[in-house]
Amino acid sequence: MFTTRPTLQGTFGMVSSTHWLASQSAMAVLEDGGNAYDAAVAGAFVLHVVEPHLNGPAGEVPILLAPAGGEVRVLCGQGVAPAGASAAHYRGLGLDLVPGTGPLAAAVPGAFDAWLLLLRDHGTKPLADVLKYAVGYAEHGHAPVERVGETVETVRELFETEWTTSAEVYLPGGRAPRPGELLRNPALAATWRRLLTEVAHAGDREAQIDAAREVWRTGFIAEALLRQAARPTLDTSGEHHTGTLTGDDLAAWSAGYEAPATYDWNGWTVCKAGPWSQGPVLLQQLALLPPELPEYGSADYVHLLIEGCKLAMADREAWYGDAADVPLDDLLSDEYNAVRRSLVGQQASQELRPGSPGGRTPRLCAHARVTTPPGAALDALGVGEPTVAKASTSPVPGEPGVSADGLTRGDTCHIDVVDRWGNMVAATPSGGWLQSNPVVPELGFPLGTRLQMTWLEDGLPNTLTPGRRPRTTLTPSIALRDGVPVMAFGTPGGDQQDQWQTHFFLAVALRSPVRGGLDLQGAIDAPNWHNDSFPGSFYPRGMRPGSVTVESRLDPAVVGDLRRRGHDVSVGEPWSEGRLCAVARDPETGVLSAAANPRGMQGYAVGR
């Protein structure tokens, strides 16, 4: 079939990420003798520089890794709620939702420590060798993509009047970043240079990395983060608040490893992070599929996947969260899914219908009953995508602005790497966006806002709870065939991530191969879609029952059939759904492959 780009193939190494500079930096590390983990870390720190509207060092990242000949593991870089971040404290401030911006929404930063732990335990390169690419782009500049400047323009007034430290970096001379003009972040470059200087004499490679982790927790970086958290900051509530992050919170937390959640489907095993993420939603969607599927791409096929996704997302709302004992075995069991599958009829459901795994009674938050009207603009109602600070045209305080072409601002990054030894990694960095919190002036990057995904209602699986992780939407994937890792993939997209990834995975699994391998590019390029029939994870947690947004490339006959079934279909731009990345390895031949998403005009795969 025709694709926008070829599926790359080779034997040395492959990288796919959401920005070409990160992909090429990671590839440079492979060329210099590094492995997949060295390369991923280098690419990740470049993403902090070149996609600052999508991620930052004080954000978060779940990482799935499959060492050659080893077990798939999850490295959790999602920090917990600070000790003072209780639901009662936030309600006492007069809030019914955690703000979408500002220090009150900041969890303990997790991304930096996770990347360094990956480098220490699985990489081979010194810290200075992998940081040099990010330092170079921060110090000497890079030509930003259009979205950076467009995002800055949506928060210009806020930056100029309130978040002035952000204006110093992203509105130099009053001008937002422009393509073709170099954007520099000298404060960030200075942060990494000082860090490297402080740890240079700590000992061997591993000792230097651990020393850098300690500087983040208790040294000059920690001190600057804490000063920022204590500054009264205007947030989406319309008030100035200080955060809850303390030195004890920073010093006590570190990233850690855990086993993945898995599901076996048609000879594949899909690995995801646990139900502190939304990862098992993809597994539940697979578990809900009937033994015989409708024709790929038909109206019956799309309807089946939409309705299955609604059921899985309803279970996410009722059962997922780090503050609960999640009955995942029951949620993925054959018995449970046989009952749930029977709920999928010929018409679109308008209800949020969680199940009763193991006979348990589901409980939904009160906010899950708040919906938005049919036909409302998704970008203007905070459905499915993360909050940015208010644009002047936004009808609701704190809502994302809508760009001239109607596209959302984006939210997150992704990177996949596979090397010639068979090591594989998939990671979805996010948070710490330039539009989420003021830039810490001494450091050149802001705090994150992941606590906005928690509820302030007591007794829910995802209630804001000190020491617990907010349930994140970040959800990279690794897939195995016959027990051997063969593919790493993922996408940005908030609540849409495990919708787009399900469609991609099934396209790979169900359609014919290309060049003797998996048709990664064809599966990425295939028309995609998503629904918003559940509470959004981002402030103000909007929901549109029955809604479906499709690319205009979807067959008009399929669109018409979906509407006749009761789906509230919005037809978007032809290339507007998803920013998928993927790499793969054939265990029999050793041939590596990679593909990247043409949507957004910045994701690229490289390799040889």
Side-chain angles (χ1 to χ4, degrees):
M1 64 168 289
F2 171 79
T3 59
T4 58
R5 309 168 181 178
T7 295
L8 307 183
Q9 291 192 324
T11 56
F12 180 81
M14 292 282 164
V15 182
S16 178
S17 88
T18 48
H19 197 289
W20 64 83
L21 292 179
S23 295
Q24 188 53 49
S25 298
M27 191 67 201
V29 173
L30 293 180
E31 296 283 6
D32 193 41
N35 66 17
Y37 309 112
D38 298 312
V41 176
F45 278 88
V46 170
L47 287 173
H48 296 159
V49 179
V50 300
E51 294 193 323
H53 58 312
L54 306 179
N55 80 137
E60 44 276 326
V61 60
I63 305 169
L64 265 65
L65 57 149
E71 297 289 324
V72 176
R73 300 291 287 169
V74 176
L75 176 50
C76 174
Q78 173 58 65
V80 299
S86 68
H89 171 65
Y90 285 55
R91 292 196 303 266
L93 297 173
L95 300 170
D96 59 359
L97 289 174
V98 177
T101 60
L104 264 185
V108 177
F112 178 89
D113 194 66
W115 286 119
L116 263 62
L117 190 63
L118 180 69
L119 181 66
R120 186 197 74 181
D121 294 347
H122 298 277
T124 64
K125 292 286 187 179
L127 181 59
D129 284 5
V130 299
L131 275 183
K132 66 182 181 182
Y133 305 93
V135 172
Y137 287 123
E139 187 168 50
H140 302 297
H142 66 96
V145 296
E146 289 84 351
R147 286 282 181 259
V148 176
E150 289 169 358
T151 301
V152 171
E153 287 293 355
T154 69
V155 289
R156 171 184 284 275
E157 182 179 354
L158 179 71
F159 280 14
E160 292 176 337
T161 60
E162 292 277 349
W163 297 7
T164 54
T165 58
S166 298
E168 291 173 10
V169 177
Y170 294 109
L171 286 169
R175 284 167 57 99
R178 299 185 181 186
E181 298 180 2
L182 293 179
L183 171 63
R184 297 178 175 88
N185 190 339
L188 178 58
T191 296
W192 297 147
R193 287 196 180 280
R194 179 178 173 183
L195 175 71
L196 292 171
T197 299
E198 289 196 8
V199 306
H201 303 294
D204 62 12
R205 189 188 79 92
E206 290 79 7
Q208 288 185 20
I209 293 170
D210 278 335
R213 297 171 69 206
E214 194 60 29
V215 169
W216 180 275
R217 290 194 193 97
T218 63
F220 80 93
I221 294 177
E223 292 167 358
L225 291 173
L226 294 172
R227 284 193 294 271
Q228 184 63 47
R231 293 184 178 109
T233 301
L234 180 66
D235 59 37
T236 53
S237 72
E239 303 291 334
H240 290 77
H241 291 113
T242 58
T244 59
L245 188 67
T246 69
D248 288 342
D249 296 317
L250 276 173
W253 187 85
S254 64
Y257 298 96
E258 56 191 59
T262 64
Y263 186 75
D264 296 332
W265 183 83
N266 281 14
W268 293 83
T269 300
V270 181
C271 303
K272 302 289 285 186
W276 53 268
S277 76
Q278 74 172 0
V281 163
L282 190 155
L283 308 183
Q284 284 197 249
Q285 289 177 86
L286 295 179
L288 283 161
L289 294 175
E292 298 294 328
L293 293 179
E295 178 186 357
Y296 176 87
S298 66
D300 286 338
Y301 179 85
V302 176
H303 171 77
L304 176 71
L305 295 188
I306 293 169
E307 294 303 298
C309 177
K310 291 177 184 177
L311 295 173
M313 284 295 197
D315 279 344
R316 184 193 76 166
E317 290 308 307
W319 301 111
Y320 289 21
D322 199 33
D325 182 14
V326 181
L328 192 56
D329 288 344
D330 288 325
L331 290 169
L332 294 175
S333 69
D334 292 341
E335 297 79 11
Y336 177 77
N337 284 286
V339 174
R340 297 285 279 163
R341 196 177 300 124
S342 67
L343 297 176
V344 177
Q346 290 301 308
Q347 291 297 113
S349 170
Q350 307 292 320
E351 301 176 61
L352 192 64
R353 299 180 290 177
S356 300
R360 300 168 181 84
T361 301
R363 180 183 167 191
L364 294 170
C365 65
H367 204 77
R369 294 186 287 275
V370 178
T371 63
T372 56
L378 297 185
D379 289 348
L381 290 163
V383 182
E385 292 282 354
T387 304
V388 298
K390 182 184 178 184
S392 59
T393 56
S394 177
V396 181
E399 291 314 293
V402 183
S403 60
D405 57 9
L407 298 178
T408 56
R409 297 293 172 187
D411 64 320
T412 297
C413 308
H414 189 83
I415 185 167
D416 300 310
V417 188
V418 60
D419 63 29
R420 61 190 184 275
W421 301 287
N423 300 302
M424 191 176 291
V425 60
T428 310
S430 188
W433 310 300
L434 67 86
Q435 65 272 27
S436 65
N437 255 310
V439 166
V440 183
E442 306 93 324
L443 302 179
F445 58 84
L447 286 163
T449 53
R450 193 60 54 171
L451 293 185
Q452 68 180 289
M453 296 188 164
T454 61
W455 298 112
L456 299 182
E457 185 178 340
D458 290 331
L460 297 170
N462 194 32
T463 296
L464 177 61
T465 307
R468 296 291 186 177
R469 293 168 288 190
R471 188 197 69 214
T472 180
T473 52
L474 308 175
T475 172
S477 305
I478 285 181
L480 291 67
R481 284 286 286 179
D482 301 320
V484 180
V486 297
M487 184 167 64
F489 59 100
T491 180
D495 294 314
Q496 300 149 14
Q497 289 182 27
D498 279 315
Q499 302 187 55
W500 292 333
Q501 288 186 71
T502 299
H503 309 158
F504 163 80
F505 171 74
L506 290 174
V508 169
L510 296 174
R511 297 166 75 181
S512 59
V514 61
R515 296 178 182 168
L518 301 174
D519 185 9
L520 301 182
Q521 194 64 52
I524 287 174
D525 286 356
N528 220 319
W529 66 90
H530 78 275
N531 83 90
D532 296 290
S533 297
F534 47 86
S537 293
F538 297 92
Y539 180 93
R541 318 301 295 270
M543 176 172 65
R544 282 189 55 200
S547 70
V548 179
T549 303
V550 304
E551 291 181 329
S552 61
R553 295 181 298 123
L554 196 66
D555 184 346
V558 171
V559 173
D561 194 306
L562 293 174
R563 286 176 170 152
R564 284 189 291 273
R565 297 172 191 242
H567 295 282
D568 178 16
V569 181
S570 299
V571 178
E573 295 297 315
W575 296 93
S576 55
E577 292 284 316
R579 286 177 66 203
L580 284 147
C581 301
V583 299
R585 179 179 183 271
D586 186 326
E588 294 185 3
T589 65
V591 171
L592 312 178
S593 55
N597 183 52
R599 303 164 179 89
M601 300 293 286
Q602 65 199 68
Y604 270 88
V606 294
R608 67 173 180 87

